[in-house]
Each structure stands twice: as structure tokens, then as C-alpha cells.
Amino acid sequence: MTTTIDEVDDLHQLLGQKLEDSDWFDITQDRVDLFADATDDRQWIHVDVERANDESPYGGPIAHGYLTLSLLSAMVLQVLSVRQASMAVNYGLNKVRFPAPVPVGSKVRLSAEVQAVEAIADGVQIILRATVHCTVVQKPVCVAEPVYRFYR
């Protein structure tokens, strides 16, 4: 369920609140291969299924850490909506870690909390405490602090 805010300035009321979890996103070999093509990162642990099955310490191919990170944008759109924002931008990241690999064939989803909210020129900036969970891994697979700006 999406947390919906009408006005940009109403984001301040979300400080410290946990947002609903996103849907699960499938991590397929096709998705990994497309990401590899888009980024020119074709390391065998991601794209050579046979070799990864035989030689990888992970027991098979895994998603790129940056693929998992790139899904944050789509996941955040599922958990937070600001109706009257004229524009929203991904402003960057404060911290990012990949504590565990994401095996191909698994699913990931976001849980997030609004960690900081601050007024900026013509809008509001928020920082989330974002944790990406995986269906087949105990530890989080990505922990990050994405920064988003919403403009009036």
C-alpha cells in the first residue's frame, strides 16, 4: 500500500515513519543480462550461468549489486506518492552496502523508513533508510540511504 501525501510540505509529517513494503520484484537471468548489457558489466558471476553454477561460491549466478540498487527507484514509487509535486528527483545516496548476494531466481522488495526531512528551495528533501530483502537470503541484500527531492 502506497503512502500518499497531497502537498510537498506535508512530507514533514512522515519523519520517523516506516512506509509500507513494496511488492516483490523478480530477479530473472533476463533482467541480469539486460543490466549487464546496459552497464557493460558482464562479469561471469552474473551472466555465465554454466560457469556460475560450477565455480561460483554463491552456487549460481547472482544479480549485480547495482542492479539491486537501481530497483530502489521503482520500489520507492510503490511506497510513496506525493500528488501535488511538480517534479521528484533522485538526488543521490549517502550510504550503500550490499551485505548479501541476490541469487538469480529470487525476489527482492523494499522496506523503508523516512529518516530525515528538510526544506529546500522550492521543495522538500527526504532521506530514507532503505533495506532490500530477498526471498532466499536471511540478511538484507542492500542497505542504503537514498536522497529524494520533491518540488512544489
Side-chain angles (χ1 to χ4, degrees):
M1 180 168 190
T2 305
T3 298
T4 302
I5 300 295
D6 287 323
E7 301 288 334
V8 170
D9 292 317
D10 293 340
L11 283 163
H12 291 279
Q13 69 190 10
L14 296 180
L15 181 61
Q17 288 191 28
K18 183 183 181 318
L19 304 175
E20 295 292 325
D21 292 343
S22 73
D23 291 338
W24 289 100
F25 285 68
D26 292 317
I27 303 300
T28 64
Q29 189 62 53
D30 284 343
R31 177 173 263 173
V32 171
D33 291 343
L34 286 169
F35 189 84
D37 290 344
T39 61
D40 287 331
D41 180 353
R42 294 181 186 86
Q43 188 176 165
W44 66 267
I45 62 172
H46 306 301
V47 298
D48 188 334
V49 175
E50 186 175 312
R51 184 175 178 192
N53 286 336
D54 291 341
E55 299 178 31
S56 170
Y58 308 112
I62 60 170
H64 304 73
Y66 286 134
L67 168 56
T68 305
L69 184 65
S70 72
L71 291 172
L72 281 182
S73 293
M75 292 178 187
V76 168
L77 286 173
Q78 286 189 348
V79 302
L80 180 61
S81 173
V82 183
R83 287 188 178 131
Q84 300 300 318
S86 66
M87 177 176 63
V89 296
N90 173 353
Y91 191 68
L93 297 150
N94 289 340
K95 296 179 185 176
V96 179
R97 297 289 182 268
F98 304 108
V102 177
V104 169
S106 64
K107 297 179 182 200
V108 295
R109 78 171 172 193
L110 170 69
S111 63
E113 178 182 317
V114 180
Q115 182 176 329
V117 181
E118 116 182 46
I120 58 169
D122 298 322
V124 172
Q125 174 176 289
I126 67 168
I127 300 172
L128 298 179
R129 179 178 297 117
T131 305
V132 180
H133 303 277
C134 179
T135 53
V136 299
V137 178
Q138 291 278 321
K139 293 171 34 174
V141 295
C142 179
V143 179
E145 291 180 4
V147 182
Y148 295 96
R149 288 188 166 187
F150 295 86
Y151 293 92
R152 291 181 206 90

